[in-house]
Amino acid sequence: MSTRTIDAAAFDAAFDDGEDVSAHVDWSTARRPGLAKRRVNIDFTDQMVRRLDIEAQRRGVTRQALIKMWIADRLDRVA
C-alpha cells in the first residue's frame, strides 16, 4: 500500500477538520498504544462460573466478555 506523506501538524489539522486521512496511514503497521493484550489466569468456584454463565447468557455475551465488561466498569469508577 502506498501512503502519501504529510507532516504531523497537517495530518492533525486534516483529521480535526473531518477529512479522510486514511491515505496517510499505513494500516498494516498501525498500533494503538496501551492496548496490548496480556493473558491473566484466575480461578473461580464452580458456583461462580455457573452464575457468570447465567448472567452472560441473559445478556447475550460470552463469559469472558461479561467479566471484561464488569472489570472495565469497576476500573472506570475508581479512576
Side-chain angles (χ1 to χ4, degrees), residues 29-73:
T29 60
R31 300 288 181 261
R32 294 184 67 190
L35 295 180
K37 294 183 180 182
R38 292 180 55 189
R39 183 165 301 277
V40 176
N41 296 318
I42 186 167
D43 296 324
F44 293 110
T45 64
D46 287 338
Q47 181 183 15
M48 289 176 71
V49 172
R50 283 193 299 273
R51 291 176 64 194
L52 284 167
D53 288 344
I54 290 167
E55 184 61 21
Q57 184 176 14
R58 186 181 77 77
R59 293 177 181 234
V61 297
T62 65
R63 179 192 310 148
Q64 180 176 348
L66 177 67
I67 293 168
K68 286 180 180 181
M69 289 184 332
W70 282 353
I71 291 174
D73 179 61

Side-chain angles (χ1 to χ4, degrees), residues 10-29:
F11 182 91
D12 289 346
F15 180 84
D16 291 342
D17 290 341
E19 295 178 28
D20 180 4
V21 294
S22 60
H24 305 291
V25 179
D26 180 357
W27 295 109
S28 69
T29 60

